[in-house]
Amino acid sequence: MGAIEKDLASKDSLSTLVRYENVTKRFGDIEVLKGVDLDIKPGEKVALIGPSGSGKTTIIRMLMTLEKPTSGVISMGGEPLWHKKSSSGKLVPADEKHLRRMRSDIGMVFQHFNLFPHMSILRNVTEAPIHVLGLSKEEARERAVDMLEKVGLGDKLDAYPEQLSGGQKQRVAIARAVVMRPKVMLFDEVTSALDPELVGEVLEVIKDLAKETDMAMILVTHEMDFARDVADRIVFLHDGQIEEQGTPQEVLENPSSERLQAFLSRFLRN
Ligand SMILES: Nc1ncnc2c1ncn2[C@@H]1O[C@H](COP(=O)(O)OP(=O)(O)OP(=O)(O)O)[C@@H](O)[C@H]1O
Ligand SMILES: [Mg+2]
């Protein structure tokens, strides 16, 4: 590689936070991801849409290190997630220590919030900053209160999860993930288990966060209006492959593939 190419390559790694390169995933005989290439820039907000079973959750679970790719490479800040470089420069499978270090840049909110039921809301949010980041109790409390205020729960610090609505619990789960200041936040259909009247408040909180944060976000969603508002880019997944991607305007107003057109028309009919 010449000096110029090297320079370009290093600039490229600065402008890319997360990179999937020809990533496949098999479960037994079924290939659920068939060679995914996807780059996410620092701070970029990407909505992932597609039919049920197209592989959306699998894509983000692999980044969360919950699921291992069958082949291909996922990297984060230029460093492979599931591999590390051996002393001879070859990529070898990563050990738990490497995964743990890489994971600290990644936060996730699931469909089901899984709060610690025996801890107050405040403690739910301070636990990881204290025990994982090693912050003092005071620092952790300050950060947590700040986050809980941002998600509209500044008056619920001493409440317990069972005293909150589903929407409030999901907002605690968001605060608990964001308080760790990851470089990328993953949201997997975080409103799909909520009663319809609670969906709006949670989407609003995520939209506000997206506007004011420099964290990148990958948001799996079936809410097209939300995707339009929150995302810089929408990626349409079909049958384990990226079928089409572009700005919300391009993807939602002017879809070129027939599959995307059919997918979107199902939403418009509902
Ligand atoms: N642990 C697993 N074992 C076997 N098959 C799996 C496993 N996890 C996912 N799959 C299969 O992989 C495919 C993709 O699943 P995935 O959960 O990624 O889809 P999705 O796009 O998130 O769908 P949905 O919109 O319903 O959440 C599906 O056919 C699913 O049945
Ligand atoms: Mg899913």
Side-chain angles (χ1 to χ4, degrees):
M1 213 191 263
I4 294 173
E5 281 108 323
K6 236 186 217 158
D7 193 40
L8 283 175
S10 69
K11 275 208 187 107
D12 186 48
S13 65
L14 285 181
S15 64
T16 303
L17 177 65
V18 175
R19 168 165 286 174
Y20 292 75
E21 287 174 87
N22 198 13
V23 172
T24 71
K25 178 68 187 176
R26 282 179 167 281
F27 289 111
D29 289 341
I30 311 165
E31 191 168 47
V32 300
L33 291 177
K34 301 170 179 170
V36 168
D37 290 302
L38 179 64
D39 279 5
I40 315 265
K41 297 191 193 75
E44 194 181 15
K45 316 294 186 269
V46 174
L48 203 51
I49 63 171
S52 180
S54 56
K56 305 179 297 296
T57 295
T58 306
I59 286 193
I60 66 172
R61 281 176 58 85
M62 289 192 302
L63 184 56
M64 194 58 206
T65 72
L66 295 170
E67 206 77 71
K68 195 175 173 183
T70 306
S71 68
V73 176
I74 303 176
S75 39
M76 177 79 198
E79 230 185 313
L81 189 65
W82 284 97
H83 304 84
K84 59 180 202 172
K85 283 217 172 84
S86 70
S87 44
S88 63
K90 264 181 47 183
L91 287 186
V92 296
D95 50 24
E96 185 51 38
K97 192 173 151 217
H98 175 83
L99 285 175
R100 209 178 314 125
R101 186 168 61 78
M102 297 299 285
R103 218 178 271 144
S104 67
D105 285 335
I106 307 163
M108 183 161 180
V109 182
F110 301 87
Q111 217 173 50
H112 297 283
F113 8 83
N114 301 321
L115 299 180
F116 307 120
H118 57 291
M119 289 183 194
S120 70
I121 297 312
L122 182 64
R123 256 195 84 199
N124 263 277
V125 182
T126 57
E127 238 0 54
I130 293 172
H131 296 291
V132 180
L133 301 182
L135 297 192
S136 70
K137 275 193 181 151
E138 294 70 33
E139 284 171 301
R141 186 190 153 88
E142 207 172 300
R143 259 204 212 186
V145 170
D146 189 47
M147 263 323 298
L148 284 164
E149 281 171 358
K150 277 211 179 90
V151 301
L153 294 172
D155 58 344
K156 298 283 184 199
L157 304 182
D158 300 322
Y160 281 79
E162 63 179 15
Q163 298 169 306
L164 301 189
S165 73
Q168 289 171 329
K169 278 190 251 193
Q170 195 56 298
R171 286 187 273 145
V172 177
I174 293 168
R176 188 177 57 173
V178 174
V179 81
M180 301 296 280
R181 301 189 181 161
K183 293 194 176 124
V184 58
M185 273 290 303
L186 314 176
F187 296 89
D188 191 2
E189 296 195 50
V190 295
T191 57
S192 58
L194 297 177
D195 292 336
E197 71 272 21
L198 302 175
V199 168
E201 68 187 54
V202 174
L203 295 183
E204 278 308 312
V205 158
I206 298 174
K207 273 194 242 172
D208 288 346
L209 253 173
K211 264 188 226 129
E212 66 182 48
T213 177
D214 54 6
M215 282 182 303
M217 295 183 171
I218 305 178
L219 309 115
V220 175
T221 185
H222 282 117
E223 310 271 347
M224 295 303 139
D225 288 334
F226 170 66
R228 184 197 316 267
D229 288 349
V230 80
D232 301 310
R233 176 157 54 117
I234 300 183
V235 172
F236 172 60
L237 203 66
H238 185 275
D239 197 16
Q241 284 175 314
I242 295 178
E243 174 89 12
E244 190 165 338
Q245 57 180 313
T247 62
Q249 172 89 16
E250 287 163 349
V251 168
L252 300 177
E253 314 298 338
N254 198 11
S256 44
S257 86
E258 271 174 35
R259 284 177 176 146
L260 176 54
Q261 287 164 10
F263 175 77
L264 292 174
S265 70
R266 257 179 279 145
F267 278 91
L268 297 178
R269 255 184 273 131
N270 288 338

